[in-house]
Amino acid sequence: MASVDVVYEQVHFRHDPKWSVRLRPAEGGGPLLCVACAIEMMETAEMASVRKCFALSSISGVLKSSAGVLRELFRQDHRVTLHFIATLLGMLQSEEEAATVEKVDQGEGTPVDALVNVFVCFPTCAPSQTRQLYMRTNTFHPHHAHTNTERPVLVQLLQEFQNELPIHFVLDEVHKQLNCQLSVKRFLPTLNFLGNLLNAVPNVALSLLTQYVPLLDHLFTALVYPDEALRTSVVYAWQQLLQTSGDTGAQYLPVATRDRLCTLFLQTFSNASSAQLVKNCAGCSSVAGLQGSTSDAGRIRPFRFDGVAHRDARFRLCWFAAGVAHPTTGPSSAAPAEDSAAPPPATPGPSSMGPHLKDTAALKASWSAVAAQGLLWQLVRLEDAVSVLMSSSGSQPLSNANEDILTNNSQTLIQDQEQQPDDQSLLPLLLKKLLLSGDEMLQVASAKSIAAILVHSPSQYCALCIKADLSGFLFDRLASSSNEMLLWSVYSCLLLLTEEPLFFSQCHSVYGMDSLVRSLKEAVQLANLEVPKQGFLLLTEVLNRQPPSIHLFPSGSGFVAVSEAVKAGVSSSCLLVAAQAVKAATALFRVNHQPRPVQYQEVEGLIEAITSRLSELILPSSSHQRSTEEKRMSDSSSQTFRSKGFLLQALVCFQAACRLAEECASEPVLMKNPFTAPYKHSDGENPLGSLCLCLLRCCDSVWIPTVLKTIKGLPSAQMLEPLYSILGSQFVLLPSLMQQFANKLVSSGFYRLAVEHKALLCAGNRNPNLNASCCGFLQKLSMCLLFQSDPPCGSYQDFEEVENLLQCSLSSLCCHLSEWPSLLCEYQEPRAVQYCLVMILYLALKQGDRLLPDQAVFSSVMVLLQSVQEQGNCVLPRSVLRSALYLLAVTQDRSPSLDEAHLNYISKSLSSCQSFSSLYSHHPALLHFIWRYPELAELFGASVLELWLANKSQTDGRQNTADVQKGDDKRENQTQQQEPDLETSELLVLLEKNPKVILTLLDMAVGGEAPLAEHVLDVLRTLLLGQREFVADLCTSLRPALLQVLQRISVDNMANGLGQAHAAAAKSLPVVLKLLCLTQTSDPSSPSIYSNMEGVHFKLLYHVSSIGGMLKPTDTESLLPAFNFLQCCLSLSPAHSSDRAVSMLLSNSGLMDQLQTVISSSAAPSPPPSACPPLALLCCGHLLLSTLITLQGIHSAQVHKSIIWSLDTAVQRLFCQKRNTDNLMMVSYLRMLQALLDVDLASPLVCLSTGPGLVGPRPLEAEDGALYPLGSTGAQCLLTALSGLLMQKHELLLRTSVNCLSSLLGFLKRKNPASAKHAVCQPWSRFLLYCKLSSGEKGLLHPALLRFITLLLQHSSTAVPWEPDLLHVIDTVESTGIKELHREAARALRLLLTQIQSSVPVPTAAHKQRVRKLMESLGPQTSAENCSEGVSNVLHVGDVSLCLRSL
C-alpha cells in the first residue's frame, strides 16, 4: 500500500497540483495523495466501495501522522473543506456509503493491504460485491462506541478543523438528514456519527442543547423504536451529550426534555435485551474501553471543599464515589481532597507517590473509564433527574430477554417486581438486577449509581433504597467479590445508607456484618490500600451508629472475627488504613458491642497490636527541630503528619479501651463468664485483671514516652486530653498497683507537666475538655498519694475534705508555676485555690519533685499562715495545716531562721488542732524543725519524738537466742557493729545537736506505754552499742537519771510492800533495767568506769540488787535484766575492785533466794512450762552464780546463804542431752563448771549435789574420793562431753569448752595427776586433734584449736608430736602470715609457741629458729592485756550479755 498513489486517474490530470501532496518525502518519495481526486471518488456513485475505503484510510492516516500537511491543503480554499465534509455527510444517506465512511480505521491493524490487493485483483468488481469481500475480512458493528484512536474519518476531520469550521454547518446537515429520512431505522448511521462527534468535539454538545432542541425529538423518536441497535446508538448519543456538556449543559436541558428522557430511559433499560444496550444504559463498557479511555470528560478532577462542611467528612468520599459535584463547590468539585479517604489525583508526582498511591492511580483510571460510559450514570448525577427516576413506577414489566447478560436470579427478581404495587419505584429494582448479574462491571455501575442517588438527598432516598432491600444485595456483593472497584463502590453506598436509622432498625447492619468482616479480611490483602480504608470507615460508622438495644455480636465468635479483621487493618503498611482501623477499634470498644462473655483477650490483643505500631511512627524528636517539624506537618501527605494523626487516633482508642475496662469492672456480670461452672473459677484466671495489667504496662512503657516525645516543645491539646484521661483511668482499674505508679509519675515530673499544660492551653476558658482531663488526673493522683502517706493523713472526713477541695479548685487553677508564690501571698476569699496549691506542693515534694525553689515555698507558706492567723476567724483545714508544716520543715535548711513572731504564728496554727498526730509527717526534717526552735520543742517536742518512734521501722529486729546457732566471727562483728537504721541515725544527729532530747527519751521510756518504751529502748540500744564516740557522754547523762528512777521505784516498793509497786513503776522497771544494762555494757573498754565500785556505779548496783531481791519469782521480765546487769557489772569489773560489790550481793538474802529459785528450776527433771523460767533467765542465773563463785574465792567474802546446785544434772545434760539443750544454756553450764573446777568444786557459796552415776557406790574408791564430788566416772563423762563439743563450729561453745577443759585438766592435775595425764594421752584426744588438724587452713589456726594444743602440751610434752602435728601448724602459720591472724588467734598462737619453747623437744636448730622468728614477729601486742584493748568484751545474744573475758 505504501507504493500506491491516492488519485483518480481519469480526472487527476485536470486537478491543480496544489491539491496534491507527496506523503513521507523524507523517505525517498512516498505515495501521492490528491485531495481533489479523493473528493471526486466519494462523489462518484460507480466508484467501488473498496477504493473509497482506501482513499479515506489514507486521509485518516495522514490526519493521525501528519495532520499539519492536510490542514495546509484544505486552508487553501475553505469551500473545498466544506464541500468535502458535506460529501462525507451525504454518504451517510445510503447504507453502503454510510458503512464505507464509518468502517475506515475501525481499529489499529485494519488489513488495508488486503483491501488494496482486492481492489487490484478485482477492478471491475461491483461495489456491493467489494463491500461483501471487505465485510468478511473486518466485521463491523455500527453501534460500538469509538475511542480517540478509533474514530471514523469524518469525525477525525471535524475534530481537526473544529476551530475553523462552523459547528452549525455540521449540525444543520445532520438535522436536515434526520428530517429527510422516511424511516426511523435509517437514523442509525447519522446517530452513530452524532454520538462519535459529541465524544470527539465536546463543544457540539452545548450548541445542540441550546440551539437544536428539535433535533433532540428525533433522538426520542429513535429511542422508542423497537430496534436494539438503534436504541444502543441513541443511548450512546444521549450519554455523550450529557457527559461532554457537563453541569453547564444540564442547566440548559429543558425540564420536559429531561423528564421525558428519564421516562424513556427507564423503559428502554427495563426492556433491554442486548448486551451492548445494557452496558450503554448501565454505565459499563468493554474491558478495552475501561482501560483506555483518556478523554477529558472521563478524567476525575481534583476535589476541594474550600472550607465547606457537609454533614461529615465521610460524605466527601461518597461524593467522589458517586462522581457527583458537591452542591456547594460547583462543577469543578468532582474528586476528593488528598486528606480524605478517596484516592489521590490520577497522576501524582513521582516524588510523592508511594506504592499504594500508584495502585490508587490505577484504580482511579478504571473509575474514570466507568464514569465516561453509561446514560444511567449521567442521569443520576443530576438531582432533578434522580427525582424523576426514583418516582417512576414499575408499571411495565421487565423483559427476560437479557438472561445471557444477567444471572439466573434476575428472572426471580422480575417476577417479584411484577408483584409490587404500581407506585413501587422501578429504578431500585433495576439496580438490584445489575447487582445480581455476573458481570462485575455492571455491579460496579450499579453501586456507583446507588451512591450518586443517595448523595443528592440521603434523607429522601436512603429509606427507599433500604425498603427495596438494596443494602442486603450490597452486603451480598461484599461477601462474593474481591474486585477493588466493586468493593470501593459498595462500601461507599453502604456508608451513605448508614445515615438512615431504618438501616439499623431493620437489622441490615446485623445481616451484613459477617459479609463486611469477610470483605475486610480480603481487602487488607489487596494492593490498593484505599479500599480497606473505605471499608474500615464503613465498619466504624456501623459500630458508632448501631443502637445499643440491637447487639451486633451476640456470641464471642463474631467479635473474634471482627477483632481479627481490625487487627489486620492496624498492621497495614499504610498509616492511613491503620488509622482508620484504629477508629474502628475505638467504636468496637463500646460496651454494647461486647458479647457475653466479654472477649478480654481479643481486646488485649488489639491494644497490643496498636501499641506495637507506635515504634514505627516518625515523630518529632526534639524542640530545636520545631520549625522544621511544623513545615513538615503542615503537609498532609508527609509521613510525620500521618504518624501524628495515627498517634492521636490511637490515643482515643486506648482511652476507649480504658473506659471499657472501667465499665466492665463496675458490672459484675461482665467481669467473668456467667456460663462457667463455679468450680472452674480460679484466682489465677482473671481476664479483666489481665486486660487492666496490659493497659497499665503499655501506658507506662510505651504510650507515656511516645506522647511526651511528640509534644516536647509543642504541646497539643488534642493529644494531651486523652493522655490525661488514660492516666486517670489507671487509678480506677488497678488500685493495688497505683502506689508505685503514682510515685513514678510524680518523680517523672507529671505534677509539673499537668500544671504547665493547664496554664498554657486552658487559661481563658480554652480547651475545657483538656482542663477536665487534667483536673481529673491531678485529683486522682493527689488522692492516691494522700492515701499512701505515712502515717495516713487524718480520717475519712479529712480525705473527703481534700477531695472536695481539689475538685472545686483545680479547674480554676490555670497559672504557671512561676505565678504560684504570688498567688499564695495574695489575700483572697475563698482560700480554696491557695489550699489546693499547698496540697499539691506537699504531695509533689514528698515524692522528691520540687515544683518551686525552697525559699519561695518557705516564705509563701509562712505568709499564708500569717495571713490566716491575722484574719482571726479562719482556721486552716487539718490536711492543709499538715501540708504547710511539712513544707516549712523540708524547706527550712535553705531558708532563713524564723523570728519570734513567725514562731508564734506557727505555734498558734499547730495548737488549733486537737491532736498533733494528725499533723505529723514521718520525715527527718520535721523532727529537726520542731527541735530546732525551743518554743516549738517545748510544746511539740515530746509528741514528735513519740510519733517518730512509733513509726520506727522494725526490719532490724532484735536477735533471739536461736540466732546463736548460726553465729560465727562475722555474725558477732555484725552484732557489735550493726549500722543503725534511718530513724536511729536521725535521732543520733538530733542528740548531738540537742542533748536535752535524751531526757525526753528517758521520760518516754519510763513513763510511756510498753510499745513506745520498747521503741525507745531499741533506739538507745543501737545508739549505745553502735556509736563509740558518743557512748561516754550518753552514759554519763543516763546513769544519774536512771539512778533517780530506781530510787523512786525502790521507795514505791517499800511503801506498798515487797513486790507490790504501782502499776506504772512495774511497767517501767523492765525498760529501766534493760537500759541500765546497755549503759553498763556499752563501753567496757574504758577501765576508769570499773576501777572502783564507788559513786553512782555502786549505787546503781545496790538498788538493782535490792529491787531484784524484792521482785516476785514470776516477774521474769524484770528479773532477767536485773540478773544480766549484776553479772555484767561483776564480770567487767577488775578483780581487785569488786570486793565491796561481791560482799554486798552475798549479803542480800532476797537476791540469793531469787537465784536459788531460778537455779533449782533448771535442775528439775521435767518442770511444767508455766513454772519454768525463760531460757535467757536461766543462763543469766548460771552466769551470775559462776561470777560470784570466782570473786568470792578471790576475796574470801563472807557467805550468808549457800546455793544448792546439782552437779550430776549438769554433767548429764552435757554428756547425754546436748541435742536437746540450747547452745546458750550449754555455755552457761560450762561457765558454771569452769568456776567450780577452778575452786576444786569446793565453794562456800555453792552446795553441790552429786549422785552414784558420778562417784560410784560407797564406800568410795581412792580415785573417786580424790575427785569427789565429780568422781572418776563424772570426770570421764565430762571429758567425753567436752571433746564432743570441741567438734562443733559454734564460736561460744568452742571458747567455753576449751576454757572448761583447761579448768578440768587443772582440777585433775591438782587432785590426781595420773588422771590428768591419762586424759591428755588417751586415743580420743589424738583422734580429736587429728580431726581438727585436717579441717583446713582456717580451722587449723582457730584460737580454740591452738588453745587445745597448748593444753595438751602443758599436761604432757609428748601428747602432741612435733612432726607432723606441730610442724604442720608452724608451716600453716608461715604460709598464711602473722598479719592475717586476728588478735585472739595471735594471742593463742603466742601461748602455743611459748609452750613449745618451754616443754617440747624441738629436733633441729632450724626448727627452733623458725619458732623464734614467729615469736618475734608476733611482738608484744599479742599479750593478754593488749588483746583486750580496743576489742569489745561483751557479746549480746538476745537479752543476755556475755562477757568474753570471763568465758
Side-chain angles (χ1 to χ4, degrees), residues 1105-1378:
S1105 62
S1106 299
I1107 293 174
M1110 291 185 289
L1111 290 173
K1112 291 181 178 181
T1114 56
D1115 192 4
T1116 58
E1117 190 176 0
S1118 298
L1119 277 176
L1120 174 59
F1123 282 6
N1124 194 32
F1125 171 74
L1126 294 176
Q1127 66 95 8
C1128 284
C1129 285
L1130 296 178
S1131 300
L1132 295 173
S1133 299
H1136 64 274
S1137 63
S1138 58
D1139 53 342
R1140 298 175 60 196
V1142 173
S1143 299
M1144 185 262 296
L1145 293 178
L1146 293 177
S1147 64
N1148 190 335
S1149 59
L1151 180 63
M1152 293 296 104
D1153 291 338
Q1154 295 283 11
L1155 192 57
Q1156 179 65 69
T1157 303
V1158 172
I1159 295 298
S1160 300
S1161 63
S1162 64
S1166 57
S1170 60
C1172 184
L1175 180 64
L1177 181 58
L1178 293 175
C1179 295
C1180 283
H1182 284 96
L1183 294 175
L1184 176 59
L1185 182 57
S1186 64
T1187 305
L1188 288 173
I1189 293 172
T1190 302
L1191 294 177
Q1192 189 275 334
I1194 293 175
H1195 300 293
S1196 300
Q1198 183 180 359
V1199 176
H1200 298 275
K1201 193 171 185 177
S1202 299
I1203 304 296
I1204 301 174
W1205 192 67
S1206 177
L1207 180 61
D1208 59 340
T1209 301
V1211 176
Q1212 184 72 13
R1213 286 199 176 184
L1214 292 175
F1215 183 69
C1216 301
Q1217 301 178 9
K1218 292 193 297 293
R1219 295 182 180 272
N1220 300 327
T1221 305
D1222 185 79
N1223 288 335
L1224 186 59
M1225 190 66 185
M1226 286 193 292
V1227 169
S1228 66
Y1229 275 122
L1230 292 172
R1231 179 67 186 90
M1232 184 71 179
L1233 287 171
Q1234 177 187 350
L1236 289 172
L1237 292 170
D1238 287 340
V1239 296
D1240 295 335
L1241 300 177
S1243 174
L1245 181 59
V1246 178
C1247 180
L1248 294 176
S1249 62
T1250 184
L1254 296 181
V1255 297
R1258 295 181 182 273
L1260 299 178
E1261 296 182 0
E1263 185 177 1
D1264 288 336
L1267 299 178
Y1268 187 85
L1270 183 60
S1272 59
T1273 304
Q1276 186 63 38
C1277 292
L1278 187 56
L1279 280 172
T1280 304
L1282 292 175
S1283 300
L1285 292 175
L1286 287 175
M1287 296 297 293
Q1288 304 293 326
K1289 294 183 179 181
H1290 192 276
E1291 289 296 321
L1292 287 178
L1293 280 178
L1294 286 174
R1295 185 188 189 100
T1296 54
S1297 297
V1298 171
N1299 290 337
C1300 186
L1301 179 61
S1302 176
S1303 299
L1304 176 60
L1305 292 176
F1307 169 75
L1308 294 176
K1309 186 176 182 179
R1310 290 190 296 271
K1311 295 295 183 177
N1312 190 352
S1315 298
K1317 188 173 183 180
H1318 173 72
V1320 170
C1321 297
Q1322 65 178 337
W1324 174 252
S1325 299
R1326 286 290 305 154
F1327 177 74
L1328 176 61
L1329 181 61
Y1330 172 77
C1331 293
K1332 299 298 288 186
L1333 291 175
S1334 303
S1335 60
E1337 189 174 289
K1338 181 179 179 182
L1340 187 60
L1341 299 180
H1342 195 278
L1345 176 59
L1346 297 177
R1347 184 79 176 94
F1348 176 64
I1349 297 174
T1350 304
L1351 285 176
L1352 296 179
L1353 292 176
Q1354 285 176 353
H1355 294 278
S1356 176
S1357 60
T1358 61
V1360 182
W1362 171 260
E1363 192 172 355
D1365 297 342
L1366 293 178
L1367 185 59
H1368 183 34
V1369 173
I1370 298 299
D1371 292 339
T1372 303
V1373 172
E1374 289 177 344
S1375 62
T1376 303
I1378 297 297

